Amino acid sequence: MLLLAHSRILCRQPSLRAFYATIRNLRQPQPLPEGDESDPSESDFILSILRANPSLRDTKSYLDSFGIQQPHHHKKSLLPSLLDLPAPALRPSARQPPTQDVDIKTTRVISSILNPVYCRTALVKLQGPFSDRQLDSISRGMVYLEKLGLVSVIVLEHDKLPRGDDRERTAITEETNRVVAALEAQGAKARPILGASVRLGPKPGDSDAPINGMPLLEAHVFPEDLAPIRSALRAGEIPVIPPFALDSFCRSTRVNANDIVAALARGMAEAAELDAKPQTQKPSEPHADYSEDINLTPMRLMIINREGGVPSYARSGYPHLLVNLTSEYNYIRDTFDPAWLRDRPSALSNLALAHTCLSYMPPTSSAVMVSHRSPSSLIANLITNKPAVSSSLPHALLQGNRKLTPDTPTLLRRGQPIRVIRDVANVDRAKLNHLLQTSFHRTLDIDAFYKRLEKCLDFVIVTGDYVGAAIVTNEPVPGSSSRPISYLDKFVVLPSHQGDGTVDFLWVALHDESYGLGHPFSINPNGGKEGKGEGRDLVWRSRSNNPVNKWYFERSTGYIRMGSWILFWCDAEKRLRLEEARSDSGLSYIEDWESGRLEEWAEVVNKIPSAWK
């Protein structure tokens, strides 16, 4: 939308004054629409997929996980000679298409029959109780996910049922059967797993000390304990599991559903590893019978409740959009307002659950905390693996975005540690060189590049072990005593980490350290200035044919074209807000403090030498 507005402005208003004013007006928050977002049409399967609006990268990533899988060489085909069958003979009078076309079409049809959509598993914590209507909506979402290849393993929780109640077991069993009935009413097959699949206590052999800062699990699972779940999945049924576990006396007792989910996350991942190992002889364990039917490794963790996501201080209590658990987990807990516990009493415990589960799940996995009012967002999350609204968008657009509501889901990723480096001597040059050259597919002029950084580096933000970096320099203005220009020299993420949240995490850190500096919501745990100081306008350039420009258009305040280059900038948000407060009508035209700055930026940026050979 913003890109379209940009193009219209260039066509209609050639003057810089009108162009810049229109861009700024687009940044003004828009009123939220009235009424409930849960329109009945949201429940439509096809419409929900279209609303996800996946990019080409999103689509490819989804197909890589759920598309037709190449058969393993060690497996024998069910119909070994079917692919070799000759095409049927036609009468001489009939038109016979080329043999090659017939073979291709026949192979594709047979391949689609013998290789259905590859199923993956999701762990779902269903935190009720829910009304019949709410449960129907949730069940419809589970069925839609199953159609897309994600089969849910559902664990129930009942917040309103006190522990130790005389009817506790009966009530939990009835609720389990109620969920099964709701799923079947939506066309799915479901199975209640009423026997305890989880054992209380730490797993034998585990150390008593926490590993990597993770707390010890209160329950554990052996591979053979998963036989009922495997059996249900093999039969095409959604297993529904009550929060029961076996104690040391082999008694089935009710426990916190978080303990069940965490134990299953670890146990299913470990069982999948056993399945992947080559078998020299047929094992005796029950789980081995089903090892080739479905991948038990949890691909998603879904926490469906009545509260929604984790509230954020940066959004006045509205949910976090995207959480980097590695770098933000402790900070979110430290900045959690106790007043939020009134409406979201389980927010912190669910945050801890996601933190624990994702430590056992693959790095590409994610967790989503979502209200029962937003079932369609589960489909968008599955296809794109992205938050409903990008957390790296300008704060004004986030405030005015109608999709941002108290029920907006929170997407959680394991993420990467983020740190800010201010001295070139502390940069690992070998790793940074590899990152730049691998991502840009060009040869870096190493000596010239670092010689320039030694003179003008402001800071480098590094994610993980140099899987991403943002390099910002101070570019002096010739013949002027004004402050140097804050220039984004490089913004880069390894191709293997594009689409896993690293890009958004890196840009948010860049925002907090540059043009967003000085705002309370820019206080971050990344080891930078932690919100202290004054924000500065951030400027950068990009080739006009760069496919990333669409992403830049959405995050910049404005841009101008300079031949084969496009100059982007982001206004310092704190100063912009102060200037708007001084004017009753807001900022509509170029102010005195802005006069001539675009020409100055263009002159300086055009003279910055290339970093490539």
Side-chain angles (χ1 to χ4, degrees), residues 160-445:
K160 300 300 183 182
L161 183 63
R163 299 186 184 279
D165 188 272
D166 293 339
R167 294 189 64 258
E168 182 179 35
R169 179 170 293 275
T170 301
I172 291 293
T173 302
E174 290 175 351
E175 185 69 12
T176 303
N177 290 327
R178 179 169 168 259
V179 172
V180 169
L183 289 167
E184 292 181 339
Q186 296 298 328
K189 293 193 295 182
R191 180 190 300 185
I193 309 294
L194 299 179
S197 301
V198 173
R199 305 166 189 252
L200 284 178
K203 190 172 184 178
D206 282 355
S207 171
D208 294 334
I211 301 176
N212 297 327
M214 302 300 299
L216 295 176
L217 298 185
E218 298 292 335
H220 64 279
V221 174
F222 289 118
E224 56 266 26
D225 297 330
L226 298 174
I229 296 176
R230 288 180 178 272
S231 176
L233 295 174
R234 187 188 192 195
E237 299 170 336
I238 298 176
V240 182
I241 305 168
F244 296 146
L246 290 177
D247 62 15
S248 57
F249 298 98
C250 292
R251 296 174 302 191
S252 177
T253 182
R254 182 188 175 193
V255 298
N256 191 309
N258 286 7
D259 297 332
I260 304 288
V261 175
L264 287 176
R266 177 184 180 182
M268 292 170 67
E270 291 176 346
E273 289 182 5
L274 290 177
D275 295 341
K277 292 181 179 179
Q279 305 291 340
T280 56
Q281 59 183 4
K282 187 175 181 180
S284 58
E285 292 87 348
H287 81 276
D289 294 338
Y290 316 119
S291 61
E292 295 184 356
D293 286 69
I294 191 168
N295 190 336
L296 271 186
T297 306
M299 188 177 185
R300 293 285 192 278
L301 170 67
M302 299 180 179
I303 302 172
I304 305 175
N305 55 28
R306 291 163 293 139
E307 305 171 14
V310 183
S312 167
Y313 67 91
R315 314 200 194 289
S316 303
Y318 274 24
H320 281 274
L321 299 173
L322 180 63
V323 174
N324 181 346
L325 288 169
T326 298
S327 65
E328 300 178 43
Y329 175 71
N330 291 327
Y331 192 74
I332 291 175
R333 294 177 64 89
D334 294 340
T335 58
F336 192 89
D337 189 339
W340 294 334
L341 291 174
R342 182 182 60 184
D343 298 324
R344 302 175 189 265
S346 63
L348 289 180
S349 62
N350 284 332
L351 175 68
L353 174 64
H355 189 219
T356 300
C357 291
L358 288 177
S359 68
Y360 297 105
M361 295 161 63
T364 54
S365 299
S366 63
V368 60
M369 294 173 57
V370 60
S371 163
H372 64 84
R373 301 180 185 88
S374 304
S376 62
S377 62
L378 295 176
I379 292 178
N381 169 253
L382 172 63
I383 297 176
T384 67
N385 206 11
K386 294 178 180 178
V389 182
S390 175
S391 58
S392 61
L393 287 172
H395 194 68
L397 287 186
L398 289 176
Q399 287 178 317
N401 197 307
R402 66 182 183 86
K403 292 183 179 180
L404 191 58
T405 71
D407 297 314
T408 301
T410 296
L411 181 66
L412 306 103
R413 307 294 296 258
R414 186 190 300 181
Q416 302 277 347
I418 296 177
R419 63 190 186 279
V420 179
I421 301 174
R422 299 195 176 276
D423 191 338
V424 179
N426 296 327
V427 174
D428 190 320
R429 298 193 179 190
K431 291 182 178 179
L432 183 59
N433 296 345
H434 175 266
L435 169 63
L436 293 173
Q437 295 183 141
T438 302
S439 302
F440 287 102
H441 304 289
R442 301 181 69 179
T443 302
L444 187 67
D445 189 349

Side-chain angles (χ1 to χ4, degrees), residues 126 130-140 175 178-179 182 186:
L126 196 58
F130 298 105
S131 67
D132 291 341
R133 183 174 181 180
Q134 292 167 352
L135 194 55
D136 287 343
S137 177
I138 294 170
S139 300
R140 191 177 302 116
E175 185 69 12
R178 179 169 168 259
V179 172
Q186 296 298 328

